[in-house]
Amino acid sequence: MAESMNEVKHRIASTKNTRQITEAMQMVQTVKLNQIQGQTATYNEYVAKIKAVVMHLAESHLLDSQAPSKTQDQGKKGPTAYLVITSDRGMVGSYNSNALRGTNRFIADHTPNADDYVILAVGGTGADFYKKNGANVAYEYRGVSDIPTFQEVKGIVKTITQMYNDHLFSELYVCYNHFVNRVRSDFRVEKLLPMDRESIEQSMSGADGAGASIKTEALTAEYEVEPSEQEVLHAILPQYSESLVYGAILDAKTAEHSSSSMAMKAATDNADDLISSLELKYNRARQAAITTEITEITGGQEALNH
């Protein structure tokens, strides 16, 4: 009985130590979540402006010149690329599994042949998963900051755009978890390349938050562009690409911190339940041991009296 009580006592101490760790991690992730939500609010002001400009360009048909002709489209060959955003670490609940499951479903529906797609992975979990499963991982980026900076994303966008210009793939989809609130995130897919009027309008209609509130006034005349339409497009579209990728990574990181915070809260609650159960078990064992000792003492006293 003594050994059993010692084992239970050791498990209680061990569980309490684990609980302290999970509670501290929950607090850290909550702070990071609050910080990134503050940054997201600032970013939304910028992205609302850039998306409004791009929507005006789309409505005024300036983007039609960017769309490939049917002949060009038929002659353009290359795999589809999927930019998959996951975390670099574990202890984030179902965050990674939801992102990978959603991506796999989308790939199965659109490019079931493994030779027809490549993976561009932002986050070590996604990169390792697709490498392990034999997928063609053409690009990976690890170590995204907990609060991502715009400068980080510019490098990612530059590399991906160069790969597209080098015809390593023909179209690009961004796959990630969208932060809805602190207890929920939804999987989302957005088409990034080629950048034409149709894909931009789909992105606008599919977005929420800042994107959903974008409304453009009715255009009564076409734009008068100086020095040229191409100069305007060359200036605006790269910023639009950067804003989409940065917004997706920022959104995904927000969902990651939220999922991690919820996972650590669940772990802490489970530790509390386990501690209560172990303490009850320990008290019962201790009470049984005391009762046994009293019985033995009483029995010995009676034997002496006789």
Side-chain angles (χ1 to χ4, degrees), residues 227-248:
S228 69
E229 295 179 359
Q230 291 300 320
E231 290 292 332
V232 173
L233 294 174
H234 288 163
I236 294 297
L237 294 185
Q239 296 182 47
Y240 178 72
S241 298
E242 291 168 356
S243 71
L244 282 185
V245 178
Y246 180 62

Side-chain angles (χ1 to χ4, degrees), residues 50-110:
I50 194 69
K51 284 188 174 182
V53 171
V54 172
M55 179 61 82
H56 273 296
L57 292 175
E59 291 181 350
S60 63
H61 303 286
L62 287 184
L63 292 176
D64 291 348
S65 62
Q66 299 294 297
S69 65
K70 291 184 179 180
T71 303
Q72 291 174 327
D73 188 55
Q74 291 173 354
K76 189 175 184 181
K77 295 182 179 179
T80 298
Y82 296 99
L83 178 61
V84 185
I85 304 174
T86 58
S87 71
D88 287 302
R89 57 186 178 81
M91 295 185 291
V92 290
S94 60
Y95 171 80
N96 287 318
S97 60
N98 288 343
L100 295 173
R101 189 184 306 112
T103 301
N104 289 340
R105 281 199 301 261
F106 189 82
I107 291 175
D109 292 339
H110 290 77

Side-chain angles (χ1 to χ4, degrees), residues 229-299:
E229 295 179 359
Q230 291 300 320
E231 290 292 332
V232 173
L233 294 174
H234 288 163
I236 294 297
L237 294 185
Q239 296 182 47
Y240 178 72
S241 298
E242 291 168 356
S243 71
L244 282 185
V245 178
Y246 180 62
I249 292 177
L250 199 63
D251 196 358
K253 270 293 179 182
T254 306
E256 178 187 334
H257 292 320
S258 176
S259 181
S260 180
S261 177
M262 292 298 298
M264 292 303 100
K265 182 180 185 303
T268 301
D269 292 342
N270 289 337
D272 286 334
D273 293 340
L274 181 57
I275 290 170
S276 297
S277 176
L278 290 173
E279 286 180 341
L280 179 61
K281 183 177 180 180
Y282 176 80
N283 289 334
R284 285 177 175 173
R286 185 168 176 268
Q287 184 177 13
I290 293 173
T291 302
T292 300
E293 290 178 0
I294 293 175
T295 302
E296 291 175 351
I297 293 172
T298 304

